[in-house]
Amino acid sequence: MAHENELAGVLAELAERRLEFREQRYVPKDFIARLKQLGLYRAATPAKFGGEPLPPAEFLDRIERISAVDGSTGWVASFGSSLIYLAALPLETQAELYRDGPDVAFAGGLFPMQAAAPTERGYLVDGHWKFASGCMGADVLGVGLAGDADTAGKPRTALLRPDQCEIIQDWDVVGMRGTGSFDVVVRGVEVPREWTFIRGGEPTVDEPLYHYPALAYASQVLSVVSAGVARAALDYAKEVGGGYAGVTGAPKLAERPYYRIEVARAEAEFRSARAWFYDLSDEVWQEVLAGRPATDAHNAELRLAAAHLAKVCSDVVGRLVEISGTAPIHVGHPLQDLAGDALVPKQHAFLGPSVFDAAGAVLMGLPPTTPGFR
């Protein structure tokens, strides 16, 4: 894994190139290669195939630090964790997948799930999928197939090479503009059965990381992007507070009590949500390392902490915009970009309002209220 000076070098380059990524709407392959040098795309590769699996909290910390420089790049880098899903593939398929090395960038357009006609060898894949974040730099792409009798209704993912897919560059949004969350189209490609897996299915690899709750981890890696964005917004608010004076001749922002109070409250709320988020991750990881299975309550708490962090971070950035006078109304103002980036994680299905309902149900001894909660 990367040393601090290597990470610092990548972050410095990212600071210089983040506008480039936003304008072209994706993180290019050459920078994905830089992220691979940091070990982010082997952090969820099984050790038996040359990977260097990271404890979840360590991976989350690295994604947060990248996101504090650019949320879009943090979002793309977060999918280095997605290889935990691929641990459900047959071992022979995984050996082929990692034949050229453990640094594999995976991107998936999983929704809307499409029906696929079964063939003698596998499935005939044909359809159009949304939100394939990071697809422009991916080594392998996944698309979502509707569940069938063999999956007990759970969705299946089919893996394809990039040259088997068409990417439609239609990503035009106010937040996370550089994620390249484009559409993926596949027309009549037969995918062998062994190159498909049940999303959230039982892993064929017996290593600790693959016993950590997979869907909870998937929600954490997205939520922690919002933490990086909120950290950047708080740092910006403190930095400019002493220098910005309004056109009306009013005192500088830092000299106004309401500004100091709101920045302090935002800092406290952010740090509290973040601390719970990381503490829970470490607590569940220690259970996994001890050989004890993660419980439904563990999963619910991880999902709840992730959704809570995403909401707190979005609220924090929104409040900083509100107290910053007229400056943020201008196009290109840093807080405008950060507010857009902070909005996206909490809007994701993994982190939206339904998660609070499902988690609350589990914590009260009831079944989760949404499918695919674990």
Side-chain angles (χ1 to χ4, degrees), residues 79 85 106-115 127-133 142-147 153-158 170 181-185 199-200 215 218 222 303 348-350 371-373:
F79 291 102
Y85 292 137
F106 168 70
L110 303 180
F111 298 99
M113 290 181 290
Q114 307 283 349
H128 189 143
W129 291 266
K130 306 288 292 183
F131 303 124
S133 299
V143 294
L145 307 182
K154 292 182 178 180
R156 188 184 294 274
T157 299
D170 60 348
S181 302
F182 300 134
D183 290 9
V184 173
V185 176
R199 192 157 175 262
L215 293 182
L222 301 180
R303 296 292 304 268
H348 195 281
F350 279 0
F373 188 66

Side-chain angles (χ1 to χ4, degrees), residues 61 135 148:
D61 176 72
C135 59
D148 52 41

Side-chain angles (χ1 to χ4, degrees), residues 293-305:
T295 65
D296 288 344
H298 285 141
N299 179 70
E301 290 174 355
L302 290 171
R303 296 292 304 268
L304 178 60

Side-chain angles (χ1 to χ4, degrees), residues 59-75:
F59 182 80
L60 293 167
D61 176 72
R62 295 184 189 199
I63 298 305
E64 181 182 1
R65 293 172 68 181
I66 294 169
S67 302
V69 179
D70 180 53
S72 292
T73 303
W75 187 270

Side-chain angles (χ1 to χ4, degrees), residues 1-2 7 40 43 52-65 217 224 278 281-282 285-286:
M1 286 296 172
L7 177 58
L40 295 175
E52 298 177 31
L54 275 180
E58 289 188 29
F59 182 80
L60 293 167
D61 176 72
R62 295 184 189 199
I63 298 305
E64 181 182 1
R65 293 172 68 181
Y217 195 24
V224 83
Y278 277 102
S281 183
D282 184 63
W285 179 241
Q286 294 305 318

Side-chain angles (χ1 to χ4, degrees), residues 14 21 27 31 35 66-67 70-78 178-179:
L14 177 58
F21 299 167
V27 180
F31 201 80
L35 297 175
I66 294 169
S67 302
D70 180 53
S72 292
T73 303
W75 187 270
V76 171
S78 79
T179 62

Side-chain angles (χ1 to χ4, degrees), residues 6-42:
E6 294 175 302
L7 177 58
V10 170
L11 294 181
E13 180 181 345
L14 177 58
E16 294 178 356
R17 298 186 64 186
R18 58 190 171 190
L19 181 59
E20 168 198 336
F21 299 167
R22 291 185 185 191
E23 289 178 346
Q24 70 185 14
R25 298 178 296 159
Y26 65 88
V27 180
K29 268 188 172 291
D30 73 286
F31 201 80
I32 296 295
R34 294 282 279 142
L35 297 175
K36 286 181 177 180
Q37 291 171 358
L38 296 179
L40 295 175
Y41 289 97
R42 63 174 59 194

